[in-house]
Amino acid sequence: MSSDTILSLEKIDKNFGGIHALKGVDFTLERGEVHALLGENGAGKSTLIKILTGVHKADRGRILLHGKEITVHDPIDARRKGIAAIYQELSLIESLTVAENIFLGNEPTKTPLGICDREKLYRESDQYLENFQIAIDSRKKVSELGMGQKRIVEIVKALAIHAEILLLDEPTTGMSKAEIDILFQIMETLKEKKVTMIYISHYLDEVFRVCDRATVFRDGQNVAVYRVAETNMNTLIKAMIGKEIRAKDGNGRGNAEYGKVLLELCEYRTDLMKEPVSLTLHEGEILGITGIVGAGKSELAHSIFGNALRRSGQICYREEPVALRSPADTKKCRMAFVPEDRKSQGLFLEDTAADNMLLVSLEKLRTALGTVSSRKKKEAADEMGSKLKLSPLKTQLPAKNFSGGNQQKIVIGKWLSMEPEIILMDEPTRGIDVGAKSEIYQIIKELAADHKGLLIFSSEFEELISLCDRILVLYKGKITGEVLAEDATNEKLLSLALGGTMDGKEMEEAIER
């Protein structure tokens, strides 16, 4: 073990029922480095982090901190040992102030009775925020902060307990460009102070910006370790998925052929929408809808699916006006909706993959007596799982046991089981790895080839350019332009997403930022 090694994991094994999540993993962490942990969803990254923080216990193997073997009993014990984690799901209490969250459970006291010294609480919180040039009022309630500010408060909270090792799991999710810059500045300062960080992200450009080394996991094993300055993105991707990703063959799908108009919105507006919207969707078409944060993409998706009250305009299905007052009404249009947040809106995590995938189509499996054969149910779920390349193909496992990409396949499978004609997908590949993205893109293209109409709501310009036939751009709830995928560029979409008012120089500056 090197004298610079602060943490070492040796031969770590972990099983969850039928899933072998970690298989004899070795991992080392050097003092003061930012170490990227990469791999597809389900590769074992999060399991390793949870073992480090005491959420899970390893079945075999050992953890050494400063060369001495330790046991991490629970997350509180991990913090006592100087190991703190910032997960995608925030742990802040919304009703408390920033300062109260930073020192929660570790409040400064001023009497032997343990009464909180509130003056010291806010003074020391302000000092932490000032040290890292963070412009957040420590007296503000967390509920008043944006997502990016909340993540930064989570980091300051970890620093307040003098964490020596900081675990950052997708820390830039929901953050603006400016907030990400602040986060990276904080990380540089922490490196100077010899704080060691593990960085998990699906955004490889971030890895090259802030990380020193990268460990790649695949199928529960550590397959490679790289010095980031000595490698490139293609090498990392190949290590993650076990093969090379081919370059894109231009924009869009090429010679896609459309059928009749499936869905039409005419100056349609609901109480969720800022402006009325008009659009058409054809059989066999992939129509993209994009815009910056706050443009109204998700609001439009929920409005089309009947999750809002109509204010004006009309929706037509196959040229016939329809009233979509609730998601139940969308069945008459054979419409499906894959929501942005699969965990809270798309899945029952405690239920099996089979129960989730057959939720909206169970009636088709009922006998004349109203019963459902367990055998037929399993066969139907396995058939759908196989079609979507669900991994592992064990549909009797709870949905929570699957990786993010496979959970997304379960949500898609749920709706495909009802044989829809129109499919809405809101951020269909958010938070999933490159391999799962590629598989979901293929599913989308196959659905279009089967004459389904797809509406893809996404903030990722590259995704829409490579996947869609047309792209509509929203700005403050209004469609500011329509671009054929073959003519689309990041610059053109960004200009429209920002209102279409920028000249060439301003555009260059925006892209540079």
Side-chain angles (χ1 to χ4, degrees), residues 253 257-263 279-288 304 317-318 333-337 416 419-425 443-457 469-470:
R253 293 188 298 147
E257 295 185 4
Y258 313 145
K260 297 178 181 178
V261 173
L262 273 177
L263 184 73
L279 62 82
T280 56
L281 175 70
H282 299 80
E283 294 174 337
E285 182 179 24
I286 305 175
L287 177 62
I304 294 173
Y317 166 63
R318 292 194 176 277
C333 302
R334 295 177 63 187
M335 187 185 298
F337 180 33
L416 294 189
E419 300 179 350
E421 287 189 335
I422 301 167
I423 304 163
L424 283 60
M425 294 187 175
I443 291 168
I444 290 171
K445 290 177 181 179
E446 288 173 0
L447 289 169
D450 193 31
H451 309 295
K452 314 297 184 189
L454 293 105
L455 274 170
I456 309 297
F457 300 80
D469 304 304
R470 291 185 295 135

Side-chain angles (χ1 to χ4, degrees), residues 219-236:
D219 297 328
Q221 296 176 298
N222 177 340
V223 296
V225 182
Y226 300 94
R227 289 282 173 188
V228 172
E230 298 170 3
T231 190
N232 57 55
M233 196 171 294
N234 286 339
T235 299
L236 293 181

